[in-house]
Amino acid sequence: MAKTYKIGYFVGSLAKGSINRTLSKALIRHAPDNLEFTEIPIKDLPIYSWDYDEDFPAEGRALKQAIEASDGILFVSPEYNRSIPGGLKNAIDWGSRPWGANSFARKPTGIIGASPGGIGTAVMQSSMRAVLSFLDAPQLNAPEAYITFRPDAFGSDGEVTDESTASFLRHYMEEYAAFVERVLAVNAPGHIGDSDPDVSMLSS
Ligand code: FNR
C-alpha cells in the first residue's frame, strides 16, 4: 500500500470567487489517494516585519506549524502584475523567519496557477521559483502547469468537464506525489528546517 503524505496547500488569492481556489479543488479531486490535503490559510496574517521575530503572533506561529507538519507544500496561485500576489508573498515571508527557522527548508514544493489569459501564471511561477530556491525548497520542475482558466471547463466544486484538462491535472498530481516521495526518501527526518543556506544576506 502506498505511503500517505500530508500536503499543505496555499491558495494565493483572497478573492471570494477565486479561480485559483476552484483550481485547488480540482487538483484535490484529481490527486492520488495517498495525498491528504490541508489548506494553510493566509488571509488573517498581519503584514510581516522583523519586529515580530522575537514574539510571533498566533497567526504566524500557526502558519509555521502548518508548514512544518506538512510533508509537501503546494502553491496554487494567481499572477498579479506579473508576479506573486502580495498576500502570498507575505505568508512566505512569515514562514521563512525568524532567521535560522525557515519552515520551507527542504520541503518538496509544487507551483501551479490559473489565469484567464494565455500565459496561465507563467511569470508568477518564475518569481516563485527564485523565492523557493533561496528558501532551499526543492521544486517539481516538470511538468510545468500553466492553466488558462475557461469557466466552462470547471465547476465551482472543482469538477472538471473537459477530459484533456482532467487528464493533465491527474498527471500533474501524480508527478507531484512521486516528487514528494523522492525528496522525502533522501531528506533524513529531523533535519527539516534546521539549517538555512549559508548566505550572509539571510542574516542581515
Ligand atoms: C490580475 N490579473 C492578471 N492576470 C495575468 O495573467 N497576469 C497578471 O499579471 C495579472 N495581474 C493582475 C493584477 C491584479 C491586481 C489583479 C486583481 C488581476 C488577472 C487575474 O489573472 C484574474 O483576476 C484572476 O481571476 C485572478 O485569480 P483569482 O484571484 O481569481 O484566483
Side-chain angles (χ1 to χ4, degrees):
M1 204 168 70
K3 189 173 177 326
T4 298
Y5 297 104
K6 289 178 279 180
I7 307 301
Y9 70 97
F10 288 86
V11 176
S13 173
L14 305 183
K16 292 189 187 73
S18 165
I19 61 175
N20 283 281
R21 178 162 298 286
T22 302
L23 176 61
S24 72
K25 291 177 185 168
L27 289 163
I28 292 169
R29 273 181 182 256
H30 291 83
D33 290 343
N34 67 323
L35 299 188
E36 283 176 0
F37 292 88
T38 305
E39 181 171 358
I40 302 180
I42 63 173
K43 74 176 173 45
D44 295 327
L45 289 163
I47 304 287
Y48 172 78
S49 147
W50 55 263
D51 290 342
Y52 289 113
D53 282 0
E54 283 193 359
D55 185 17
F56 261 32
E59 294 87 353
R61 286 200 306 275
L63 178 100
K64 288 181 73 69
Q65 280 161 10
I67 297 166
E68 287 162 22
S70 302
D71 295 314
I73 302 290
L74 184 66
F75 296 94
V76 187
S77 178
E79 173 179 294
Y80 282 177
N81 298 317
R82 294 287 183 261
S83 192
I84 305 165
L88 177 59
K89 178 60 166 55
N90 181 51
I92 294 171
D93 291 345
W94 276 107
S96 71
R97 289 282 160 157
W99 182 79
N102 163 22
S103 302
F104 291 105
R106 302 184 191 181
K107 292 285 177 188
T109 59
I111 313 158
I112 185 168
S115 82
I119 62 168
T121 75
V123 188
M124 175 282 294
Q125 295 191 33
S126 175
S127 303
M128 279 290 288
R129 287 188 182 282
V131 171
L132 293 173
S133 297
F134 185 67
L135 296 179
D136 196 24
Q139 302 151 47
L140 175 64
N141 290 323
E144 297 172 303
Y146 308 127
I147 310 294
T148 298
F149 191 89
R150 289 192 295 106
D152 58 319
F154 291 86
S156 58
D157 277 330
E159 316 91 314
V160 179
T161 54
D162 167 52
E163 184 42 41
S164 75
T165 303
S167 152
F168 176 77
L169 297 184
R170 206 173 292 119
H171 174 61
Y172 181 83
M173 293 311 288
E174 283 165 359
E175 290 294 322
Y176 175 67
F179 173 69
V180 169
E181 186 159 32
R182 277 199 304 279
V183 172
L184 295 183
V186 295
N187 281 355
H191 290 77
I192 302 281
D194 67 354
S195 68
D196 274 314
D198 186 15
V199 178
S200 57
M201 274 181 61
L202 263 181
S203 61
S204 61

